[in-house]
Amino acid sequence: MQPPVCGHFGGAQPGSEVPLRYGIISDIHGNLPALRVALAELRHQGIDELLCTGDLIGYGPWPNECVAEIAEAGAVCVAGNHDLIVVDRLPNARLSNHARFILEWTRTVLDPGAAAYLGTLPLQANVEPELRLAHGSLEDPERYIFRDEDAAQQLALLGELVPAAQTLLLGHTHKAMAYGMRTRELRIIPRAPMSLAGDRHLLNPGSVGQSRERRPWARMALLDLEDRQMTFFALDYDLDLCRKELIRHGLPPGACHAPPSPVSMGRRLISRLGRRALRSVRGS
Ligand SMILES: [Fe+2]
């Protein structure tokens, strides 16, 4: 195993009792080049603590190395569905044949230390009174939260479960998302800070290691609780290196990037235009 390169993040800054700047990552999926690019950018931006909403392994060819990086970074991390399945913590899991094939390979190469780390990850975590982390949703690590009505339901549930919590961090969809209880869906512009003041939010940083967009971005985010801002990032990384490593292990080279088909892109465009039209009708 290559040694981790990024090391532990620093904790609270001098003069502050609690960490205020958090790196947010999710769905790394065994893609080490993408993870290292994301961690290097977070180190450059300056964060106190790393938060990870799960799926460290699956799809990618470096499961042990990715677990080691996250452990070494001292991340607060919850279990994703792939993390649970590979150590037999999620019976009757729903997975495609493609994902299951790679997960079976992952099981054969996972070292005992990585398996032990994944075996003890919690399903959810609280960080400070106001942050709650889960993978897919508050009730089910396999549930996808894409739609506004589902995001609103999650925020209402968050209010019941953890009244002090203002922010719910999720992953699983591999799609960056920012949804405010009052403001609804917020437009994400990479590197443009987004205000979170005065509202409860659901935030998903998107996937570090298995982009489902046309361009294979490594996505992540920076949450600043002092300024109450979230900044999303979309970073280039060496996709070819990941493909070559997949081939070297006899795995499908497309596993680290799953761009949408033309049909699903058309569906998404229609749905986006529909949402925009609905908003303008509501606003008029
Ligand atoms: Fe995932």
Side-chain angles (χ1 to χ4, degrees):
M1 182 191 290
Q2 301 172 41
V5 295
C6 279
H8 207 287
F9 285 96
Q13 297 294 307
S16 171
E17 289 182 6
V18 294
L20 292 169
R21 285 171 66 83
Y22 294 93
I24 316 291
I25 60 172
S26 190
D27 297 276
I28 298 142
H29 284 300
N31 188 336
L32 189 64
L35 175 60
R36 286 188 167 167
V37 162
L39 293 180
E41 179 65 31
L42 288 171
R43 193 162 290 281
H44 172 71
Q45 294 290 329
I47 62 165
D48 304 329
E49 193 156 42
L50 184 66
L51 309 180
C52 174
T53 54
D55 270 3
L56 281 62
I57 57 89
Y59 297 122
W62 290 282
N64 293 317
E65 291 83 350
C66 288
V67 172
E69 290 278 353
I70 297 300
E72 181 67 21
V76 175
C77 184
V78 296
N81 55 317
H82 287 248
D83 308 324
L84 294 167
I85 296 166
V86 82
V87 291
D88 299 322
R89 294 175 64 197
L90 194 61
N92 309 315
R94 302 185 291 271
L95 269 191
S96 68
N97 289 339
H98 170 75
R100 192 170 292 281
F101 171 74
I102 301 170
L103 210 60
E104 286 307 317
W105 172 84
T106 303
R107 204 191 292 270
T108 66
V109 299
L110 202 62
D111 68 39
Y117 182 86
L118 298 178
T120 55
L121 288 178
L123 292 179
Q124 296 185 27
N126 282 331
V127 178
E128 299 310 314
E130 61 181 281
L131 292 177
R132 179 86 158 192
L133 283 73
H135 182 61
S137 71
L138 285 167
E139 312 97 322
D140 177 0
E142 292 188 288
R143 183 179 169 201
Y144 291 95
I145 303 298
F146 280 113
R147 301 182 309 167
D148 286 5
E149 50 267 46
D150 292 333
Q153 177 267 338
Q154 288 293 296
L155 288 176
L157 183 57
L158 179 71
E160 291 170 25
L161 295 174
V162 196
Q166 283 297 300
T167 307
L168 174 60
L169 300 172
L170 296 178
H172 191 47
T173 61
H174 295 212
K175 184 177 186 300
M177 180 183 198
Y179 183 89
M181 199 71 175
R182 287 194 289 108
T183 55
R184 298 171 188 265
E185 186 185 359
L186 295 162
R187 185 156 172 241
I188 293 171
I189 302 169
R191 294 187 183 272
M194 169 188 294
S195 174
L196 303 179
D199 201 1
R200 183 177 290 155
H201 289 89
L202 185 157
L203 302 168
N204 184 329
S207 173
V208 169
Q210 199 220 36
S211 171
R212 295 177 186 172
E213 301 171 84
R214 262 190 309 165
R215 262 189 86 167
W217 301 115
R219 289 202 176 252
M220 56 87 180
L222 173 65
L223 175 62
D224 188 324
L225 288 185
E226 187 170 35
D227 294 339
R228 297 215 60 79
Q229 288 181 336
M230 178 91 157
T231 307
F232 289 82
F233 293 82
L235 307 166
D236 276 318
Y237 75 96
D238 191 345
L239 178 69
D240 279 348
L241 185 59
C242 192
R243 285 192 174 134
K244 283 179 190 154
E245 190 69 3
L246 284 164
I247 292 168
R248 197 170 78 77
H249 290 293
L251 298 169
C256 51
H257 180 211
S261 68
V263 172
S264 69
M265 279 171 64
R267 279 203 199 113
R268 275 185 210 173
L269 180 64
I270 290 166
S271 142
R272 198 179 313 140
L273 291 174
R275 283 203 306 272
R276 213 172 279 171
L278 200 61
R279 273 201 298 270
S280 69
V281 168
R282 280 184 187 139
S284 62

